[in-house]
Amino acid sequence: DLVEIVSLLLQAEWDATKGVAEADGAGHNDDVLFYAMQSPSCPLAFIDYLLKETPGRGAFRNHNGDLPIHFVSRLREQDMIQYKCDDCREAKMNELKYFFHRESMAQRHVLCEHCLGASEAWNYAEIAPAQKVRETTKALLMLNNKQARQINSSGELPLAIALKAGQSWLKGGVKELIEAYPAALSMKDAESDLFPFQLAAAFHGDSFAANKTEQELSILNTTYELLLKWPMADKKL
């Protein structure tokens, strides 16, 4: 069926990207949802389709003991993918709107805002590429917001995982995870023994980032928002 076909394609993409040996270690028996989340070419629409058709997938664990909420919390670089328009093939769409065809949810038919004609706009849905991680986090929490308090096999909460991966307040799922489980702000990370605001401040960023100033501002903003949500931070140290 459709899901099985797409699953095979996503696994093949993972093999080609990471190499067969590493892909075997990544877990070929994992549910298709995990491959869809990590794939740069898989549209958000397919993830939405999986979760709506089979909501139980949100409770599946992968070979590392991660729930989907833990897995998506680890993702960061995916937000920097530059999509290309299927018509003009030139537009770098990480900074532009992009659109997928509503009737082909499992197909990556993408148009930039310059190629989308007004007469057919009604048949396309608008998505911001930089929000794929955040929107997936929101979708998982809508199924069950108690997932925000679930630990993985290493004792890590999704919030701590997201902050250690460098997810920001504006682009990642940090805000949504806190709204679903505010108590996580007062919990130390099992691995580092740091509070969430400390994890955000300790993130060193990507040395290969194109705009390091923007990255530093993002780290500062995320740290500030975490402290703002927990005004007693200075009295807990």
Side-chain angles (χ1 to χ4, degrees):
D1 64 357
L2 173 65
V3 173
E4 184 176 353
I5 293 171
V6 175
S7 178
L8 291 173
L9 291 172
L10 291 173
Q11 288 186 23
E13 178 186 54
W14 180 247
D15 289 353
T17 303
K18 299 296 182 181
V20 175
E22 187 174 347
D24 288 338
H28 268 296
N29 293 323
D30 289 343
D31 186 70
V32 61
L33 178 59
F34 292 95
Y35 286 95
M37 288 189 292
Q38 75 187 355
S39 168
S41 65
C42 182
L44 177 63
F46 182 67
I47 295 175
D48 284 340
Y49 172 80
L50 288 175
L51 294 176
K52 288 176 181 177
E53 292 297 313
T54 50
R57 292 181 186 275
F60 290 175
R61 291 185 182 267
N62 68 2
H63 68 289
N64 286 325
D66 280 350
L67 290 166
I69 194 68
H70 299 126
F71 193 87
V72 74
S73 295
R74 298 187 190 282
L75 301 178
R76 180 172 59 91
E77 298 303 328
Q78 189 178 53
D79 283 350
M80 302 307 295
I81 293 296
Q82 292 186 339
Y83 291 82
K84 285 188 177 181
C85 176
D86 288 339
D87 279 9
C88 68
R89 305 299 297 172
E90 296 297 330
K92 294 181 178 179
M93 305 207 305
N94 61 328
E95 297 178 353
L96 298 174
K97 300 174 183 177
Y98 84 99
F99 303 81
F100 67 89
H101 199 280
R102 294 181 187 276
E103 295 182 359
S104 55
M105 294 179 67
Q107 301 176 20
R108 184 175 175 269
H109 186 191
V110 180
L111 294 180
C112 68
E113 56 186 333
H114 304 296
C115 292
L116 182 66
S119 62
E120 57 181 353
W122 64 272
N123 209 26
Y124 282 74
E126 177 184 335
I127 296 292
Q131 300 301 313
K132 183 175 180 181
V133 168
R134 166 172 266 181
E135 292 302 317
T136 302
T137 301
K138 288 169 64 175
L140 289 167
L141 292 174
M142 284 183 65
L143 285 177
N144 181 6
N145 67 358
K146 291 184 178 179
Q147 286 207 6
R149 64 185 66 187
Q150 295 290 324
I151 60 173
N152 64 5
S153 58
S154 300
E156 300 169 298
L157 284 168
L159 177 61
I161 294 172
L163 292 170
K164 287 188 287 186
Q167 287 194 23
S168 69
W169 187 266
L170 295 176
K171 291 185 178 180
V174 173
K175 181 181 179 181
E176 284 71 22
L177 290 169
I178 291 172
E179 289 176 347
Y181 189 41
L185 284 167
S186 302
M187 297 182 179
K188 287 187 175 182
D189 173 44
E191 180 186 47
S192 64
D193 199 38
L194 297 177
F195 287 108
F197 78 92
Q198 293 173 312
L199 289 173
F203 182 70
H204 297 300
D206 184 357
S207 59
F208 298 102
N211 191 329
K212 292 187 177 181
T213 300
E214 181 179 337
Q215 186 178 71
E216 291 170 358
L217 288 173
S218 178
I219 293 171
L220 182 61
N221 179 65
T222 302
T223 306
Y224 170 76
E225 292 288 353
L226 291 171
L227 285 169
L228 194 63
K229 290 286 184 182
W230 189 37
M232 301 301 289
D234 59 332
K235 297 182 181 181
K236 289 283 186 178
L237 299 180

